[in-house]
């Protein structure tokens, strides 16, 4: 049975969306009406999400890590301080972008792009530390039951809407077998609501990903058509 990994899938989703955000900001036609506001809002939404994610980890994971592997926990605390400074810089530049004079917009856009990529650079290092230091320490010093309890406590803290959004963010970034296993568990947990649940979960998948999911789940053709 696979080990319980508290970081892997959610981190894959974060990486995918950070890379997409960077690409879209770099290529955006900032001269178009509302484009500056849209790009700024995208950056601000991402820093809000990453701060919220850090709070969740601190609440549900890192307390156990501090008890069992305090040196690893100290390293993560230092990372969070560095990340918060990068988030603050990005937020400040994002908020100023929509009010930038037209002739200064290209340089302001690029400055925001650089600030975003500074966040990405720092955040990737942080994810690597969690995945290669913190998670192995938890595997070594905590039982499967304790790790399962951490995951269950986090899920219980989320509203149905928040839980659905968590899955929509993550599912496009994970491999097909992992995606099918996650969705199968969710669908089987809500008897009589399988079609609507599947449709909600598939809303962020590309058509090829959705078709592969239907295939892996053995979804009847008429059911798949109703959720497309």
């Amino acid at each position: 049975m696979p080990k319980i990994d508290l970081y892997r899938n959610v981190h894959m989703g974060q990486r995918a969306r950070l890379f997409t955000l960077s690409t879209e900001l770099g290529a955006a036609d900032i001269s178009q009406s509302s484009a500056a506001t849209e790009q700024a809002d995208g950056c601000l939404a991402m820093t809000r999400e990453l701060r919220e994610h850090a709070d969740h980890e601190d609440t549900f994971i890192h307390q156990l890590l501090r008890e069992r592997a305090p040196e690893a926990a100290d390293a993560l605390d230092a990372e969070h301080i560095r990340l918060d400074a990068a988030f603050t810089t990005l937020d400040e530049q994002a908020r100023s972008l929509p009010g930038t004079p037209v002739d200064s917009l290209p340089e302001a856009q690029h400055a925001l792009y650089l600030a975003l990529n500074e966040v990405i650079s720092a955040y990737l290092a942080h994810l690597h530390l969690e995945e290669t230091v913190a998670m192995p320490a938890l595997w070594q010093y905590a039982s499967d039951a304790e790790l399962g309890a951490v995951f269950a406590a986090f899920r219980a803290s989320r509203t149905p809407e928040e839980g659905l959004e968590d899955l929509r963010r993550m599912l496009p970034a994970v491999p097909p077998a992992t995606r099918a296993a996650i969705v199968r568990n969710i669908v089987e947990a809500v008897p009589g609501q399988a079609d609507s649940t599947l449709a909600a979960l598939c809303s962020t998948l590309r058509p090829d990903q959705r078709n592969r999911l239907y295939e892996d789940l053995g979804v009847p053709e008429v059911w798949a058509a109703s959720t497309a």
Side-chain angles (χ1 to χ4, degrees), residues 51-61 154 157-158:
R51 286 189 174 100
E52 181 183 70
H53 175 72
D55 289 342
H56 293 158
E57 289 181 334
D58 196 53
T59 300
F60 297 100
I61 302 176
F154 169 70
S157 75
R158 306 293 277 167

